[in-house]
Amino acid sequence: MKFILLVHHDETVFEQFDEGRKRSLLSDSIGLCHQLDKQGQYVHASPVHPAATATLVRVKDGKAVVTDGPFIETREQMAGYFLIEAKDHAEAVSIAARVPGATIGTVEVRPVREVTGLP
């Protein structure tokens, strides 16, 4: 079963970290990806650019309404994700606890729906 682990943290706090700490968090995340890959649980993972680079798209009355970010007032922003294979929710939560971003923010665990007909 696939799960997405959405990593959230406060971008303003993260930006205050020294480069060594930022590199360490990235290195630890890459290491986790390699561990998961060896266990057949890795699907994909990546950090994302800051919320200020985001674009929100809504369709109202058949017309796209586009808003540049940041578009939401919240203490934590999505920083990245891991797409994993896990036997169940408990195993996915166990993996989420190993995500380095959990030490500076929150990791949201959500099962991914399997949809017939997708490529």
Side-chain angles (χ1 to χ4, degrees), residues 67-88:
T67 306
D68 290 333
F71 51 82
I72 204 165
E73 291 295 325
T74 182
R75 190 175 65 82
E76 293 184 332
Q77 296 79 34
M78 189 176 85
Y81 67 92
F82 289 75
L83 184 58
I84 63 165
E85 288 280 350
K87 66 181 175 192
D88 56 26

Side-chain angles (χ1 to χ4, degrees), residues 4-64:
I4 191 159
L5 311 179
L6 299 170
V7 182
H8 304 270
H9 64 68
D10 185 327
E11 290 177 354
T12 59
V13 171
F14 181 79
E15 287 305 315
Q16 294 173 10
F17 292 165
D18 64 51
E19 288 305 312
R21 184 160 184 205
K22 289 178 187 178
R23 278 192 306 272
S24 177
L25 285 165
L26 179 60
S27 177
D28 291 348
S29 293
I30 291 169
L32 176 59
C33 290
H34 285 281
Q35 291 170 14
L36 295 171
D37 189 49
K38 286 179 185 173
Q39 297 166 340
Q41 295 177 294
Y42 176 80
V43 178
H44 197 267
S46 185
V48 296
H49 287 279
T53 66
T55 301
L56 180 65
V57 179
R58 292 187 174 133
V59 176
K60 293 187 179 186
D61 299 322
K63 188 172 184 177

